[in-house]
Amino acid sequence: MAALVVPIGIALTPVAPLALVAWPILGVQVYEDHRVNGLGQAWPSVVATLGPLAFPFYIRERRRLYASLAASGPPEKLADGTPIEPDGQLPADWYADPTGLTRVRYWNGSAWTSFGAR
């Protein structure tokens, strides 16, 4: 019931045109971010359906991903899964994703980036 009340309430306010403009922009951003970072399969559909109402929850999930990347430390495996000997500074390159959301993720020499690939 509440899922119907909120969209109807927004539709009856002057904010409705702004929500209609933001809806596809948020949907495309979430789809592209999902493609790159591998954030949950359902997020593009949820944001496409609920638009601005679901976007804050998506942002919360994205922040959790970046927090886990920051806590994971330097790469432990190469892109092919070969373990790395921790003997010094690793060069910037693609390494096995420590979060497991994508196959590889880019290490810029000092931290993980948001760029991943499947």
Side-chain angles (χ1 to χ4, degrees):
M1 181 70 171
L4 290 174
V5 171
V6 172
I8 291 171
I10 289 175
L12 298 175
T13 66
V15 178
L18 180 61
L20 291 175
V21 169
W23 210 301
I25 295 169
L26 296 177
V28 169
Q29 179 183 354
V30 170
Y31 173 75
E32 287 298 321
D33 203 36
H34 159 72
R35 233 175 27 91
V36 170
N37 289 314
L39 289 169
Q41 298 285 37
W43 281 114
S45 298
V46 169
V47 172
T49 304
L50 300 175
L53 299 174
F55 195 71
F57 298 103
Y58 166 74
I59 293 298
R60 183 183 67 194
E61 193 66 28
R62 191 170 190 258
R63 285 186 181 141
R64 285 183 187 162
L65 166 70
Y66 292 141
S68 71
L69 284 173
S72 64
E76 297 174 359
K77 298 183 218 170
L78 296 173
D80 65 0
T82 308
I84 298 172
E85 297 287 330
D87 59 350
Q89 185 71 12
L90 291 170
D93 202 356
W94 293 92
Y95 294 97
D97 186 354
T99 65
L101 295 173
T102 59
R103 190 173 56 79
V104 293
R105 188 165 297 275
Y106 194 74
W107 171 261
N108 68 9
S110 61
W112 293 103
T113 67
S114 64
F115 304 110
R118 295 178 186 209

